[in-house]
Amino acid sequence: MDLSFDTTTISWRGPAPFVFARVPEDESDAIAEVASLVTYGWGAIPVTARIEGIEFTTSLFPREGVYLVPVKVAVQRATGVGVGDDVHVDLHLEVRD
């Protein structure tokens, strides 16, 4: 499954890196529909993400009815992305049959 969206990064007091891209509701709903086919537990969902042309692997996790994409520190440094920045995000989820 491939998803693409624009969002504004937020800060969340949780695991480092503290900068997250909030997945919009429609895309979060689509992820929720296949969550049982892609999660490895605790609701975390492995993905390949691309922000500002930088591709990386991470895991989405549910928060307040949507999913959050942790933006790794290396990605933040390479792109200059920080809290409050508008970003375009591409996600790829491997859906098991």
Side-chain angles (χ1 to χ4, degrees):
M1 169 186 276
D2 293 305
L3 300 169
S4 184
F5 55 89
D6 295 312
T7 191
T8 302
T9 56
I10 63 169
S11 175
W12 188 274
R13 285 184 296 145
F18 304 106
V19 176
F20 299 88
R22 183 183 178 276
V23 179
E25 289 180 18
D26 288 345
E27 288 82 358
S28 288
D29 290 346
I31 293 167
E33 288 179 17
V34 299
S36 65
L37 301 173
V38 295
T39 187
Y40 57 81
W42 306 287
I45 296 174
V47 297
T48 301
R50 179 176 291 134
I51 295 177
E52 303 296 322
I54 304 295
E55 188 171 285
F56 59 102
T57 58
T58 190
S59 293
L60 307 178
F61 57 93
R63 280 290 182 265
E64 299 178 352
V66 297
Y67 287 90
L68 298 179
V69 181
V71 182
K72 294 181 174 184
V73 171
V75 176
Q76 293 173 44
R77 289 181 181 147
T79 62
V81 168
V83 174
D85 289 338
D86 294 328
V87 295
H88 181 79
V89 180
D90 296 306
L91 295 179
H92 175 74
L93 293 77
E94 284 295 324
V95 179
R96 298 182 305 265
D97 293 328

